[in-house]
Structure formats: C-alpha cells, structure tokens
Amino acid sequence: MTQTLENAVNLPEEQRFFRHGLSWEQFKAIQASFENVPGVRLFYCEGILEIVSIGKPHEVIKCLIGLLLGQYFVEQGIEFFPSGSFSQVVPKIVEYQADLSYCFGTDKPIPDLCIEVVITSGSPIK
C-alpha cells in the first residue's frame, strides 16, 4: 500500500490550546502532568503556553521531509547527524521542541538546522 500526502491531509487536524499569563513555574507543573501523554506537545514563550495535539498529517509530513532531506544530504555528499526532536530552552523565557534537527560536519550539542512542521497557522511564538 502506498501512502500519499493527499490521503494524510484529509485526516483530522492538530488541535491547539493557548493560555496567556502563566509563569515559568506554572508551565513546568503543567508540563510535568503531560509527561506521559502521547501525541501532545507543550510550548512556552514569555508567559504563553501552547498545547498541541500532534495528528497523523503532521507526522506523515515530518517523516517525508526527513526522508527527502536525508536523500538530498547523501546525494550531495553532506556529512550530517540527525538529532531528532531537539529541545530549545531558555529558562524562564522559552521552551520549544523542533520536529527535526540536524548537525552538519560533526555532531554538536546544538543543531545547525531545526525544522518545525506547521499544519495549521500555528502561533506567533514559534
């Protein structure tokens, strides 16, 4: 069976919930309560919490981008190190997790390229 992007786009969209005016400590408490909940990601930026349900269209597109980039890097002879869903944290200000990230040349603590797949309009904090 072949999965096409057209089939994936017809699936339910991601759902988003925003909450303004939260402290870093409140965010960390809410984040801890979602620790074992699959398919949900939390983002925080300067008092704004975003809770996103990750749907199948998001995952399909993320995987396709990863496959295409990997093939491109191989064909171009670019040495790369995939570093997965890299978390970017500036304590008390922002915590965000990219969908895909890559280091080029050598594996590094901070990736050279981070990619976020946005199915809907997303939020201004990203």
Side-chain angles (χ1 to χ4, degrees):
M1 181 174 130
T2 302
Q3 174 70 43
T4 65
L5 187 55
E6 290 174 8
N7 293 341
V9 173
N10 294 326
L11 296 170
E13 289 186 9
E14 298 173 354
Q15 295 182 355
R16 297 175 183 279
F17 170 81
F18 294 93
R19 175 71 180 187
H20 296 263
L22 290 177
S23 69
W24 179 259
E25 291 74 21
Q26 290 170 316
F27 162 67
K28 295 309 275 182
I30 293 168
Q31 184 184 47
S33 68
F34 277 87
E35 193 171 279
N36 295 317
V37 178
V40 177
R41 291 184 36 204
L42 279 70
F43 306 99
Y44 179 85
C45 183
E46 298 179 333
I48 301 171
L49 166 67
E50 180 181 7
I51 301 174
V52 180
S53 66
I54 303 299
K56 190 168 183 177
H58 177 276
E59 293 301 302
V60 168
I61 292 169
K62 178 181 86 169
C63 290
L64 289 173
I65 290 171
L67 288 168
L68 291 170
L69 282 173
Q71 185 65 36
Y72 175 79
F73 298 150
V74 168
E75 287 183 12
Q76 296 298 313
I78 298 170
E79 186 176 16
F80 70 102
F81 301 85
S83 42
S85 300
F86 180 75
S87 292
Q88 301 175 55
V89 181
V90 178
K92 301 190 184 246
I93 298 173
V94 67
E95 183 164 331
Y96 178 79
Q97 186 178 40
D99 289 311
L100 298 166
S101 58
Y102 299 90
C103 295
F104 301 114
T106 61
D107 196 8
K108 304 169 189 116
I110 298 176
D112 296 306
L113 173 65
C114 291
I115 299 169
E116 173 64 19
V117 174
V118 178
I119 300 290
T120 59
S121 61
S123 75
I125 67 172
K126 293 182 185 171

